[in-house]
Amino acid sequence: MERNKNRLYFIDAMRAWAILMMLQGHFIDGLLADAFRDNSNIVYSIWKYFRGITAPIFFTVSGFIFTYLLIKVPQKGFDNPRIKKGIRRGVQLIFIGYLLRSNIFGLLQGKIYHGFLLVDVLHCIGLSILGIIAIYLLTSKSKKWLLSIVLLATTLLLFAFEPLYKSANFAALPNAIANYFSKANGSVFTIIPWFGYASFGAFLSVLFYRYRESAKLYTYAIPIAAVAGLLLIFTSSPLLDWLYVATDIQLFNAIALNNYLFIRLGDVLVAFALFMLARKYVLNATFLRIGQNTLSIYVIHFIILYGSFTGLGLYRFFNHALNPVVVIVGAIAFMITCSYMALLYDKHEVALKSKLAVVQKQLWRFVETVAIHVQRVLKAVVTKTLQVLGFAKN
């Protein structure tokens, strides 16, 4: 594998680790029997905690990668070619998110099931990309530092006011829109507060790009990320309690009582520090390719586990039914299978798309031929009918 000295391989490694943790997390959470879900069990508790880290890392890394590519282009504002690519990518992710929740049998019967409108990871990441683009465009004509300030402020505001909008009633909105803001109907993720992690990743990418040429980038970045992360994990709740006592502002107390957002942000920073520290040791070509093909892996895992399009996934047959030994072995096999299929697709993607283009072209020619024939037949039938009715001459 040829190395690009300008590429941040530790980000690819983080993304690979996050997608693999997502695979095993979804598999175990979906198929492990309820009798074995014991929070007092140390192994289960550790697994559950690390499973909770996966999504924040995934959102943060997604925001980081997109923004890094966006700001490295010399053109600014709407002249930046990454704007169009980003909009197309954001819309594509939202479309795929809905597509994976569709059911062919339901569509054939003219039905749209409740689950189709629910919002998941891809919807939120796609919308987050569009949100980052909006912030970039709004600040593109201002001072360079304004972009990073707005991105960081977005994260802090979304996390700080989560207790207020979490209980907000979005029932007045259509379900398709309300599902982006509320889990009341069953959405797995909502754009708020999860956009906060994507905007934080975008903020980090601005800092990395600004100091990319510095020989001491990692010398400072690693300890700063580690210390900041540990402070958020262990001191953010006590600090919020202290602020509540000192100011009597109820919001501080509400955040402290369910302080998962800032704690998980600390977990993300510690993960960044660890992967930066191990950046020279995570250069396995296959592992990095997994990190570069997360969308394909996600789509494949959704089809196999949840039965996209057909409803015939593993979740339907083994929902909360397996014992720990079977579910662990199955999770390992599931990670290997999804990764292998995605890398196989990546290897033959160009050839597959070329063949698909040929098939589409032939199919279109066939449709055109049939349409012309149908048009001639209809014209003849209509003309004959008009002649019989006396509206046209023979």
Side-chain angles (χ1 to χ4, degrees), residues 25-98:
H26 284 183
F27 189 92
I28 293 175
D29 183 65
L31 307 186
L32 180 66
D34 291 332
F36 303 102
R37 297 169 187 264
D38 182 9
N39 289 321
S40 63
N41 184 298
I42 186 66
V43 176
Y44 179 76
S45 295
I46 292 174
W47 170 83
K48 192 174 181 181
Y49 185 88
F50 277 94
R51 180 174 180 263
I53 299 174
T54 304
I57 289 178
F58 209 83
F59 273 90
T60 305
V61 170
S62 297
F64 186 106
I65 293 172
F66 175 74
T67 308
Y68 194 87
L69 295 174
L70 179 67
I71 61 179
K72 72 184 293 186
V73 176
Q75 295 93 327
K76 302 298 179 184
F78 284 102
D79 293 330
N80 188 332
R82 282 282 170 184
I83 295 296
K84 290 183 179 178
K85 290 182 180 179
I87 293 173
R88 187 163 58 246
R89 182 65 164 179
V91 173
Q92 178 193 42
L93 291 177
I94 295 171
F95 174 76
I96 293 174
Y98 283 118

Side-chain angles (χ1 to χ4, degrees), residues 289-356:
R289 282 183 64 208
I290 289 173
Q292 294 161 9
N293 289 276
T294 53
L295 179 58
S296 300
I297 294 174
Y298 185 89
V299 170
I300 292 168
H301 113 280
F302 217 95
I303 294 172
I304 295 175
L305 187 59
Y306 300 113
S308 295
F309 313 123
T310 63
L312 303 176
L314 295 175
Y315 190 80
R316 176 173 181 175
F317 300 104
F318 304 105
N319 180 22
H320 290 204
L322 304 181
N323 65 56
V325 174
V326 175
V327 86
I328 290 172
V329 173
I332 294 171
F334 185 61
M335 287 191 290
I336 294 172
T337 300
C338 292
S339 300
Y340 175 76
M341 292 177 69
L343 296 183
L344 191 64
Y345 169 77
D346 179 59
K347 183 178 180 180
H348 301 287
E349 182 179 9
V350 176
L352 288 172
K353 286 185 176 180
S354 177
K355 291 180 180 179
L356 182 62

